[in-house]
Amino acid sequence: MACLVLILFFVNCGSCMFRSVLIGVLGFILSGMLLGFAGWLFFNFSGERELLQALHAGTISKEEFAEAFFDGAVRKSLVTEILALPLVAIITGGFIGLLARERVWLPTLVGIFPVLFFVLEISVKGMVLSAIYSLLAIAFATVTYRWRLTKFTDSGESAT
């Protein structure tokens, strides 16, 4: 990822499509890494590790394990939909908004594809969540992009 960021800073072409594609790929990598980190956090701090150790040690039965695991899965699903995925969309959108030169919506959609793939189901709920996360990331990328433009324009420096 660091190599791609270095390439991005050395590529200096006006409205180069390569730069937009590279920003989208960087956002894709970032959102995938953030999703992996969120999964690691949930696994380590949700009690699943202790539950698996208790099952392997024989202190709980398979039925107790299944009941506790599915109760935790429902809680984890709600926390993921309400907290983790919107945060990943906001962070990725902000990252892309800081790097983009124009048209932030296309690299943002490419960048948050792992989030969309994670929630996109063949159901109304999955499609609604995908639309909400897409709009959230695009809105945050646009706000960040415009903030960056006004900040550098006011100080007299070049924003791009």
Side-chain angles (χ1 to χ4, degrees), residues 3-143:
C3 293
L4 292 175
V5 171
L6 288 174
I7 291 170
L8 180 70
F9 285 116
F10 288 118
V11 172
N12 192 9
C13 52
S15 65
C16 188
M17 189 65 176
F18 177 72
R19 183 178 172 89
S20 294
V21 169
L22 192 58
I23 290 170
V25 169
L26 285 170
F28 184 88
I29 293 169
L30 177 67
S31 64
M33 288 172 44
L34 289 172
L35 282 176
F37 181 67
W40 177 82
L41 282 177
F42 285 141
F43 180 74
N44 284 321
F45 297 112
S46 67
E48 283 183 17
R49 177 180 287 177
E50 292 82 14
L51 198 61
L52 284 171
Q53 289 173 347
L55 177 67
H56 290 303
T59 57
I60 62 171
S61 68
K62 289 184 180 181
E63 292 81 21
E64 292 172 333
F65 171 78
E67 182 179 333
F69 182 79
F70 288 120
D71 287 344
V74 169
R75 277 194 318 268
K76 193 183 309 174
S77 173
L78 289 174
V79 169
T80 301
E81 291 173 359
I82 295 172
L83 182 67
L85 294 177
L87 279 176
V88 170
I90 286 172
I91 292 170
T92 304
F95 175 75
I96 291 172
L98 285 174
L99 296 178
R101 289 191 176 174
E102 59 185 26
R103 289 189 299 252
V104 296
W105 64 272
L106 189 58
T108 303
L109 285 180
V110 172
I112 65 163
F113 185 75
V115 174
L116 301 180
F117 185 74
F118 190 75
V119 297
L120 190 60
E121 306 166 357
I122 306 299
S123 69
V124 174
K125 178 184 176 187
M127 293 191 187
V128 168
L129 285 175
S130 295
I132 289 171
Y133 298 148
S134 299
L135 292 174
L136 183 65
I138 291 170
F140 203 79
T142 304
V143 166

